[in-house]
Amino acid sequence: MSFFNKISTLQMFALILGLSCSDTKGASWKITYPSPDVDSDIMTTYPVELLTLALDQTGVNYELNPSSNQLTKIKALNRLEDNREVNLVWGMTSIQREENLHPIRIPLFKGLIGWRLLLIRDDMSERFKYIQSLEHLIKLSPVQGRDWPDTKILRSNGFDVIVNQGQGNLLNMLATAQGDFYPRSLAEIWHELESLEGTKGLSVQPTLGIRYPAAVYFFVNKNNSPLAHLIEVGLEKAIKNGNFEELFLKTFQGYIERADLKNRNFYYLENTFLPKDTPLQREELWFQQEHK
């Protein structure tokens, strides 16, 4: 048996990084993720908890730190592509992002990012009661971030999307009737409604939602396959032993129950920007709604 057949996969990748194969676990993997440009919330803390869980599964030593500078999502992705300041970012996947970066194709939020509830003005609640089809909903204008992948998805499905930059601006647009509703994921809408300024007079529409296939992945630089492999190994182990699901339910079960999915009608949208290698066939990676 050759030397390279004897060493473990992780040890071989450690050699690529210039680490000692005789003491792979003694080496420290230094991972820097973006320091968010907003106050920490579940969308920033949960990925770090999941990343920590994955790394712990591998048994390696590691240093996990936020970047010294606060970074918007777009800036963080650009820094990662340039191999500067950060070496890991999480974000919603798209064909373009997978061309520019190395995706680890395990959806961190199990697809909840594509389960969208509708934040509306209280004075619009009666109008939404009369929506009986997707065609009715398309006549209304959603607000959304200018550079968000969701904006392209909504537009490709016929919505006239009104865009701006920054959460505060979008909430203000909705509050001042510059848009009719603000689609937010089931995983984030409740926290935002209760913690952000500018939500007075807004509420979650109780009976409707939109849904499209979407995945948030960990991304690394194109040339950092060893780190991608390490994290993928850890995530797969956490999936197999149930620790991934345990953390997911601990974090999101309350929000899922609050959404009252059995009594909510979701309109399905096509996501033509979803890469062909998205692992939709692996049911264990995706949140499954109980049948009514």
Side-chain angles (χ1 to χ4, degrees):
M1 182 179 293
S2 70
F3 171 74
F4 281 104
N5 287 332
K6 291 180 180 179
I7 63 175
S8 70
T9 303
L10 286 178
Q11 286 175 321
M12 184 166 64
F13 278 101
L15 280 174
I16 297 173
L17 287 179
L19 303 177
S20 170
C21 68
S22 63
D23 189 17
T24 303
K25 292 185 178 181
S28 183
W29 296 68
K30 295 183 179 181
I31 302 173
T32 305
Y33 60 89
S35 181
D37 64 333
V38 296
D39 292 337
S40 293
D41 60 16
I42 202 168
M43 302 301 288
T44 59
T45 58
Y46 168 75
V48 175
E49 291 177 2
L50 184 56
L51 178 60
T52 301
L53 172 64
L55 292 169
D56 286 344
Q57 301 295 304
T58 68
V60 301
N61 294 325
Y62 63 90
E63 295 180 22
L64 185 58
N65 296 298
S67 59
S68 55
N69 296 314
Q70 293 181 326
L71 299 172
T72 64
K73 183 65 67 180
I74 296 300
K75 186 174 290 186
L77 291 166
N78 290 337
R79 292 285 194 277
L80 183 62
E81 186 176 355
D82 294 338
N83 204 24
R84 295 189 295 126
E85 200 165 353
V86 295
N87 57 3
L88 177 139
V89 174
W90 56 87
M92 190 165 154
T93 196
S94 66
I95 295 172
Q96 187 63 53
R97 284 184 180 175
E98 293 199 15
E99 288 178 354
N100 297 338
L101 301 166
H102 187 136
I104 301 165
R105 293 189 180 93
I106 296 176
L108 309 185
F109 296 88
K110 299 192 68 171
L112 278 188
I113 203 72
W115 291 71
R116 298 271 159 162
L117 308 186
L118 312 181
L119 193 62
I120 66 170
R121 293 190 307 281
D122 293 339
D123 61 15
M124 286 282 286
S125 59
E126 287 298 317
R127 182 170 182 180
F128 276 87
K129 289 181 180 179
Y130 293 97
I131 293 176
Q132 302 295 322
S133 67
L134 177 59
E135 288 70 27
H136 292 165
L137 186 61
I138 286 176
K139 293 178 180 179
L140 302 179
S141 297
V143 299
Q144 204 78 165
R146 180 172 288 114
D147 300 317
W148 295 356
D150 311 277
T151 300
K152 292 182 178 180
I153 296 170
L154 290 167
R155 283 177 169 163
S156 70
N157 281 272
F159 286 95
D160 180 18
V161 185
I162 301 172
V163 299
N164 207 323
Q165 292 286 73
Q167 189 76 279
N169 290 333
L170 293 169
L171 290 170
N172 182 66
M173 288 173 63
L174 181 61
T176 56
Q178 298 177 63
D180 299 312
F181 65 99
Y182 184 14
R184 302 299 290 153
S185 80
L186 188 160
E188 60 196 341
I189 193 169
W190 306 110
H191 174 81
E192 292 176 351
L193 183 63
E194 295 166 359
S195 64
L196 297 179
E197 295 182 2
T199 59
K200 185 177 181 180
L202 304 180
S203 59
V204 179
Q205 204 284 334
T207 61
L208 300 175
I210 55 179
R211 182 185 169 193
Y212 43 86
V216 171
Y217 294 152
F218 288 128
F219 289 90
V220 300
N221 184 271
K222 274 285 190 182
N223 298 318
N224 203 349
S225 295
L227 179 58
H229 178 80
L230 177 71
I231 295 170
E232 183 176 7
V233 167
L235 288 172
E236 291 288 4
K237 285 186 176 181
I239 292 167
K240 187 174 182 179
N241 63 29
N243 288 336
F244 188 121
E245 182 72 5
E246 181 180 355
L247 177 60
F248 173 81
L249 291 176
K250 175 185 175 182
T251 307
F252 298 113
Q253 185 64 45
Y255 294 153
I256 294 169
E257 293 174 356
R258 191 172 179 180
D260 193 20
L261 299 180
K262 290 183 179 181
N263 295 305
R264 189 180 292 273
N265 186 25
F266 282 88
Y267 298 120
Y268 189 85
L269 306 184
E270 297 292 332
N271 182 0
T272 59
F273 305 97
L274 198 67
K276 61 180 179 61
D277 291 327
T278 305
L280 296 174
Q281 74 284 357
R282 292 186 61 185
E283 292 187 1
E284 75 276 16
L285 300 185
W286 306 91
F287 169 72
Q288 305 291 331
Q289 180 182 8
E290 295 181 4
H291 296 295
K292 294 182 180 181

